Amino acid sequence: MEEISALFQGFAVVLSPMNILLMFVGIVLGVLIGVLPGLGGANGVAILLPLTFTMSPTSAIIMLSCIYWGALFGGAITSVLFNIPGEPWSVATTFDGYPMAQQGRAGEALTAAFTSSFVGAFMAVLMITFLAPLVAKFALKFGSPEFFAVYFLTFCSFVGMGKGSPFKILTSMALGFALAAVGMDTVTGQLRLTFGSAELMRGFDFLIAVIGLFGIGEILLSMEEGLRFSGKNARINLRVVLDTWKKLPQYWMTSLRSSLIGIWMGITPGGATPASFMGYGIAKKTSRNGAKFGTGEIEGVVAPETAAHAAGTSALLPMLALGIPGSPTAAVLLGGLLIWGLQPGPLLFVEQKDFVWGLIASMYLGNIVGLVVVLTTVPLFASILRIPFAIIAPVIIVICAIGAYTVHNAMLDIWFMLMFGAVGYLFKKLDYPLAPLVLALVLGDKAEDAFRQSMLVSQGDLSIMWSNPLVGSITTLALILLFWPLISKGWKKLSASRREELPVERPVD
């Protein structure tokens, strides 16, 4: 009951006209940041951080966190309408969101995405409110073997539950690992695959790859098909929103499962991007309509959006309770707290009680405000679909180029974006999946670092991956998911052979 009374005190802190205004401003700015490819929640928060130095720490963190949540909401908009993930965690949303828009169901897809984001964040905030001490104690147990096991679980779930040829999935993932290896080896400090180029020392940035693979690649395909945008006749109104809300309760199990996945990945920290992929993959495997995923299933939008928002929100817990940021945006917020003279950690809940619970209360209110803002502006985003593709395509290319350039302020990144665009076009023409490549590119270096650190500690002994119940259970589950297609085929053959061996009863004369 202490948490409830402290939460009410937090609401008393937050419910001031200025803080509520800052929530709306933060959400609107965040949605704009989420829509523009390449900016990202972390970059948006970092750019606007100096504006908050004259505010009180509570007001400042409320505005910055609402920018982050607005970016989480906004990333789904371009994913659904243009197949361009505004944020890395929106990649999985394109798999079914964009086909829904092509079928004239953009309003349904956007409403499902926004509502699922709200549900995922609400579940994560409930967890933060009531399970903070337990979760903080659990997260302290994670070392390099546990981190690698989580990444390994993500890769295996995608291979074992992926649609299409396992060979093509592995090929795509292998290319992603190769691209992730470019740059400086963080363990030894040696340069790898740079070929004497100073520009390649920083490697290939994930956002540049995503903008090229999905944005430019999709535009090239659309130009080949005749400069048309198939979603331009979509209609979005209040009836569409209400009809979508009537459908969503039947996916309550998917929402709950994706929320738990997102909370897990946010705390450990795996991040919102792998959480969205894992939520999508598991939903596809367990759903009755799993075979239809990728063709415009609303459940394929619900799962990744719920998981991504739950992960993005729960990533703030280890930052507050332990001083360990669970995401790049949480790292920026951590820097803001230090600038304001606040030291994140267990003592923060004692010494700055009003601040902590004011922030938690703002999570509840900020997500409600975010849902209201994005749903009421859905007709505005729908109007984008009425613009002829011959006009909107150059605009999208310019926005993509600006987004790619702003990542490092380097012209070379624009050329990389175009290169990835050509790769994305070829992959789609050859029916190779892009998602495994993107997943390996964003997590490959982190997984490699965790694995090599584990091997250094164990002196090359792989048994460290089963050295305790926590890491052992994660690794075992990962291997089961990796070989799940073979396991399921073997089980089916065994069941069929048993049925054939059963004696056939002959009718008595």
Side-chain angles (χ1 to χ4, degrees), residues 110-171:
L110 286 172
T111 304
F114 297 150
T115 308
S116 300
S117 296
F118 171 80
V119 170
F122 181 76
M123 295 290 289
V125 177
L126 281 178
M127 180 275 303
I128 291 174
T129 304
F130 295 104
L131 300 179
L134 180 62
V135 170
K137 191 180 298 183
F138 176 73
L140 280 172
K141 298 179 180 179
F142 268 71
S144 53
E146 286 80 7
F147 281 120
F148 174 73
V150 170
Y151 295 134
F152 187 51
L153 176 64
T154 306
F155 296 135
C156 291
S157 64
F158 213 81
V159 173
M161 300 182 180
K163 181 177 73 172
S165 168
F167 172 77
K168 290 185 175 181
I169 294 174
L170 288 172
T171 302

Side-chain angles (χ1 to χ4, degrees), residues 381-406:
F381 300 125
S383 64
I384 298 173
L385 295 170
R386 302 188 185 99
I387 302 175
F389 189 79
I391 297 175
I392 201 66
V395 175
I396 294 175
I397 292 176
V398 171
I399 292 174
C400 289
I402 293 173
Y405 182 80
T406 55

Side-chain angles (χ1 to χ4, degrees), residues 91-344:
V91 173
T93 307
T94 63
F95 301 158
D96 281 274
Y98 184 63
M100 289 179 71
Q102 289 180 310
Q103 298 164 14
R105 299 160 59 203
E108 183 180 350
L110 286 172
T111 304
F114 297 150
T115 308
S116 300
S117 296
F118 171 80
V119 170
F122 181 76
M123 295 290 289
V125 177
L126 281 178
M127 180 275 303
I128 291 174
T129 304
F130 295 104
L131 300 179
L134 180 62
V135 170
K137 191 180 298 183
F138 176 73
L140 280 172
K141 298 179 180 179
F142 268 71
S144 53
E146 286 80 7
F147 281 120
F148 174 73
V150 170
Y151 295 134
F152 187 51
L153 176 64
T154 306
F155 296 135
C156 291
S157 64
F158 213 81
V159 173
M161 300 182 180
K163 181 177 73 172
S165 168
F167 172 77
K168 290 185 175 181
I169 294 174
L170 288 172
T171 302
S172 179
M173 193 172 286
L175 179 59
F177 285 131
L179 293 173
V182 175
M184 182 176 290
D185 184 347
T186 56
V187 176
T188 64
Q190 298 293 318
L191 295 180
R192 302 185 301 189
L193 303 176
T194 58
F195 305 102
S197 172
E199 289 84 358
L200 287 176
M201 286 178 60
R202 62 172 178 261
F204 294 103
D205 191 274
F206 171 72
L207 285 174
I208 295 169
V210 167
I211 292 170
L213 290 170
F214 290 90
I216 305 300
E218 184 61 37
I219 289 173
L220 290 174
L221 280 177
S222 299
M223 292 173 66
E224 184 183 38
E225 293 170 0
L227 290 176
R228 61 185 181 85
F229 186 59
S230 57
K232 61 184 179 182
N233 295 322
R235 293 182 178 180
I236 304 174
N237 51 42
L238 181 60
R239 180 174 293 278
V240 173
V241 174
L242 295 177
D243 288 345
T244 306
W245 279 354
K246 290 179 182 178
K247 296 179 182 178
L248 292 180
Q250 63 182 296
Y251 305 115
W252 68 271
M253 181 57 74
T254 300
S255 296
L256 179 61
R257 182 175 56 246
S258 295
S259 296
L260 294 176
I261 291 171
I263 289 170
W264 168 273
M265 298 300 284
I267 294 166
T268 48
T273 304
S276 63
F277 281 115
M278 188 179 294
Y280 182 87
I282 294 178
K284 179 183 173 183
K285 189 67 179 178
T286 57
S287 172
R288 291 177 297 178
N289 299 320
K292 297 180 181 179
F293 272 41
T295 62
E297 278 291 312
I298 190 172
E299 192 174 0
V301 175
V302 170
E305 284 295 310
T306 305
H309 222 94
T313 305
S314 59
L316 297 178
L317 175 62
M319 186 270 286
L320 288 172
L322 306 172
I324 301 173
S327 68
T329 308
V332 177
L333 293 176
L334 175 63
L337 292 179
L338 295 174
I339 291 172
W340 298 320
L342 301 174
Q343 181 61 51

